[in-house]
Amino acid sequence: LGEERKPADYLPRNPTAHVTIAKEATSFVERLARSGADYEEAAKHVASKMLTVTIEDYYDHLLALHHTNPNQVWIKSGLSKKGVYDILGGKLMTSFDRYIRLALAIGLDVTETNRLLTFMQRPRLNPVEHRQYLIMEGVATCSTVEQLNQSLKLDGYMELA
């Protein structure tokens, strides 16, 4: 049936409330239809193969993985305390720049930052656009928000909002 995947491998596309991802549901339903099996048993099987990820769960995973906490993210990001807690709690969707601030404060690499942007339905970093190239460079070199803003300003770009 394929390789077993960890929760971190899944990138939900709709971050509202709960995101449910069915593993191999299509092939299972096709096999079920061919076999004529009991649908109640099938429903239990499908339910056992579901993974529910909330925005809060996703951020908790990132914070644990990078040995940080919401207070440290708040201080390093330069965002308001309430804003950081609302974003991390899944109560607030925000701008591309603010997600970059969070990524820098948490210590995400470029791949993780793009994963975060995808999860939050924002465009991935695009190295063709020079401002975003500078942002990628800042993320890749573990810059602080202040260092990245200085780099953006020196090249004539708007600082992170």
Side-chain angles (χ1 to χ4, degrees), residues 29-76:
V29 170
E30 288 171 355
R31 287 194 316 266
L32 177 67
R34 285 194 300 264
S35 72
D38 177 14
Y39 284 101
E40 186 175 325
E41 184 64 33
K44 289 178 186 174
H45 179 74
V46 169
S48 74
K49 297 295 182 186
M50 302 294 267
L51 172 67
T52 301
V53 179
T54 65
I55 293 170
E56 189 173 16
D57 293 337
Y58 182 66
Y59 281 119
D60 286 347
H61 168 75
L62 290 177
L63 295 176
L65 189 65
H66 292 276
H67 309 289
T68 191
N69 62 57
N71 276 333
Q72 291 173 333
V73 171
W74 161 56
I75 292 165
K76 291 177 182 179

Side-chain angles (χ1 to χ4, degrees), residues 6 47 55 57 61 63 65 81 84 87 98 103 105 110 119 121 127 140 149-150 152 155 158:
K6 300 177 288 237
I55 293 170
D57 293 337
H61 168 75
L63 295 176
L65 189 65
K81 187 172 189 173
V84 168
I87 294 167
R98 289 193 175 125
V110 173
F119 186 90
Q121 298 182 330
N149 276 338
Q150 185 177 18
L152 291 170
D155 274 31
M158 189 170 71

Side-chain angles (χ1 to χ4, degrees), residues 144-156:
T144 65
V145 171
E146 293 79 20
Q147 290 169 332
L148 178 56
N149 276 338
Q150 185 177 18
S151 174
L152 291 170
K153 192 174 182 178
L154 285 173
D155 274 31

Side-chain angles (χ1 to χ4, degrees), residues 89-136:
K91 298 174 186 161
L92 177 67
M93 297 291 289
T94 193
S95 69
F96 173 88
D97 280 7
R98 289 193 175 125
Y99 289 123
I100 297 300
R101 283 177 171 270
L102 288 177
L104 291 169
I106 294 170
L108 303 183
D109 63 23
V110 173
T111 301
E112 292 169 320
T113 299
N114 276 328
R115 204 174 279 152
L116 170 67
L117 292 168
T118 300
F119 186 90
M120 302 313 295
Q121 298 182 330
R122 296 294 180 264
R124 295 165 58 92
L125 289 169
N126 179 1
V128 174
E129 201 266 289
H130 190 67
R131 182 177 187 268
Q132 290 191 22
Y133 173 80
L134 293 172
I135 291 170
M136 284 180 78

